[in-house]
Amino acid sequence: MQNVINSVKGTALGFAGFLTPVLKESKFKETGVVTPHEFVIAGDHLVHTCPTWEWACGDDCKTKSYLPKNKQYLITRNVPCVRRCKQIENCEVQENIVESEDGNEGWVETHHYDSALSPLSEKISEISLEENLNSVNVTSLNKDNNVLHSATNENSTVKNINVDTQNDCVDDDDDDDDEEEGDAIDMDAFVESGLLEDDSVTNYPEHTKKKKLSSSSVDEILKTRTYDLHITYDKFYQTPRLWLYGYNENQGPLSVEEMYEDVSQDYAKKTVTMESHPHVPGPSMASIHPCKHADIMKKLIQMVTDGGGDLGVHMYLIIFLKFVQSVIPTIDYDYTQNINL
């Protein structure tokens, strides 16, 4: 039922926006709205400050005459979304204050109580030396410290080697053995024979072949969704409007219900609805309704003014992205500078 109501509202507002005249005089300080020209100024500042954002043209048949043709809307792609909103809502404090032993200031261990990370930590175990016995050489010495037996579990070989452990050097008899083995190979003759470039004589061990991941290993891989975010200018409300479209870990489009999983449940299907994009044809996209944007911006402008500051219109989109983060808290799109109001 709520989807039907949202659809009717969207159609009515689209028609009203068509009839609404384009705002030409700035009312940013008084009401928190912006003109199309001010939207472009704020967009240019966002692109300059955060290069992950860029201007887009959109479909030619949906070009808005009150905006430059090459600056119809803003877009950022492949924004990561690691967790669902249900995993962070109504959870306990995840930080743990660690005090320093030397009496100095301590530090904060983030995600200390994060239950989402506990399954991974349980998989961590200590390395046992017993597991590596297959690669350990077993050596037997007689009473004269001569090596009688050197072997591994994979290939057992017996060697008679005379080792002087007192002087840490090899007996002179080894030099005689080297002479009996024959002269060294002439490298020039070896190169001319062509054996140096013959790969057929090279034996590659079988264990170097690629191994397929087991089903249990695949389940332990952290699956990350990604989103494309768009910022358009809403002619009726005279404010920016945020749109989002999600993809799963295989780059397949998310369903409507899956996208709602990444929206705070206080806003899903109310403030965030599925509507047609004003510049791009295709399936409906999730959009944060802009009906409250101007009021919020007006309050922020007043806060800055009361503090003796001045909030320029070029900062609009940077502040806009920060206050809509509460609606989609798990989509990590905000890499702009901190704002002190």
Side-chain angles (χ1 to χ4, degrees):
M1 185 62 182
Q2 186 64 41
N3 292 334
V4 175
I5 296 174
N6 292 334
S7 179
V8 173
K9 284 184 178 180
T11 303
L13 290 174
F15 183 73
F18 180 77
L19 299 177
T20 302
V22 178
L23 181 64
K24 296 182 179 180
E25 295 182 3
S26 177
K27 295 182 180 180
F28 173 66
K29 299 288 186 180
E30 297 81 7
T31 61
V33 299
V34 290
T35 65
H37 177 65
E38 290 173 330
F39 173 75
V40 173
I41 292 175
D44 287 340
H45 183 70
L46 176 64
V47 171
H48 175 74
T49 305
C50 191
T52 55
W53 289 92
E54 61 181 357
W55 285 106
C57 301
D59 193 76
D60 291 337
C61 64
K62 292 191 173 187
T63 300
K64 310 302 180 185
S65 59
Y66 49 83
L67 291 170
K69 189 174 182 180
N70 62 335
K71 296 181 179 181
Q72 293 287 298
Y73 66 99
L74 292 148
I75 183 173
T76 182
R77 297 180 175 88
N78 299 321
V79 179
C81 180
V82 178
R83 295 190 291 176
R84 311 288 73 80
C85 279
K86 289 182 179 180
Q87 294 178 264
I88 65 171
E89 290 180 346
N90 301 322
C91 63
E92 298 179 356
V93 176
Q94 298 175 1
E95 296 178 347
N96 179 41
I97 300 176
V98 181
E99 297 181 357
S100 178
E101 296 180 357
D102 55 7
N104 295 327
E105 295 183 358
W107 51 282
V108 177
E109 182 182 3
T110 60
H111 299 86
H112 180 80
Y113 302 106
D114 191 351
S115 60
L117 300 179
S118 59
L120 294 179
S121 60
E122 293 176 357
K123 296 294 182 181
I124 301 175
S125 59
E126 295 183 358
I127 299 176
S128 175
L129 294 177
E130 295 179 358
E131 298 176 358
N132 299 323
L133 287 178
N134 290 337
S135 60
V136 178
N137 290 329
V138 181
T139 305
S140 300
L141 300 177
N142 64 3
K143 62 181 180 179
D144 296 327
N145 290 329
N146 295 328
V147 178
L148 296 180
H149 183 263
S150 178
T152 64
N153 290 353
E154 294 180 356
N155 185 17
S156 179
T157 58
V158 179
K159 298 179 181 179
N160 292 322
I161 305 174
N162 188 13
V163 179
D164 187 354
T165 58
Q166 299 295 328
N167 298 324
D168 294 333
C169 61
V170 182
D171 271 349
D172 294 337
D173 294 340
D174 292 343
D175 297 336
D176 298 336
D177 295 339
D178 293 339
E179 294 178 358
E180 294 176 359
E181 291 179 357
D183 298 334
I185 300 175
D186 187 355
M187 290 302 299
D188 292 335
F190 181 75
V191 172
E192 292 177 358
S193 66
L195 294 177
L196 185 64
E197 300 178 357
D198 187 5
D199 291 338
S200 62
V201 298
T202 304
N203 293 325
Y204 296 97
E206 295 182 358
H207 65 269
T208 59
K209 295 180 180 179
K210 294 183 179 180
K211 298 181 179 179
K212 294 183 179 180
L213 293 175
S214 62
S215 58
S216 59
S217 300
V218 173
D219 293 337
E220 294 172 5
I221 296 175
L222 185 62
K223 298 178 180 179
T224 303
R225 294 177 177 179
T226 56
Y227 276 85
D228 292 345
L229 305 184
H230 302 193
I231 301 177
T232 63
Y233 178 77
D234 192 286
K235 183 184 173 186
F236 180 76
Y237 288 101
Q238 300 167 346
T239 61
R241 184 170 189 173
L242 186 67
W243 303 76
L244 50 149
Y245 194 78
Y247 303 89
N248 59 29
E249 62 276 5
N250 298 319
Q251 290 301 302
L254 295 177
S255 65
V256 174
E257 293 302 323
E258 286 175 329
M259 281 191 279
Y260 278 137
E261 292 175 353
D262 299 322
V263 176
S264 176
Q265 296 306 302
D266 294 335
Y267 302 99
K269 300 182 181 179
K270 300 172 185 176
T271 305
V272 179
T273 56
M274 304 299 296
E275 299 185 34
S276 299
H277 195 284
H279 297 283
V280 180
S284 298
M285 296 177 62
S287 173
I288 300 177
H289 204 272
C291 58
K292 301 293 184 180
H293 292 352
D295 293 338
I296 296 174
M297 185 58 67
K298 182 181 177 180
K299 293 178 181 178
L300 295 176
I301 294 171
Q302 189 62 43
M303 290 174 58
V304 175
T305 304
D306 293 343
D310 183 27
L311 185 60
V313 71
H314 67 285
M315 296 292 294
Y316 196 113
L317 289 179
I318 292 178
I319 298 174
F320 165 78
L321 288 173
K322 293 186 182 299
F323 69 70
V324 298
Q325 181 77 75
S326 61
V327 182
I328 45 176
T330 58
I331 302 178
D332 302 325
Y333 64 84
D334 186 11
Y335 300 103
T336 58
Q337 72 267 34
N338 293 329
I339 303 295
N340 295 321
L341 298 178

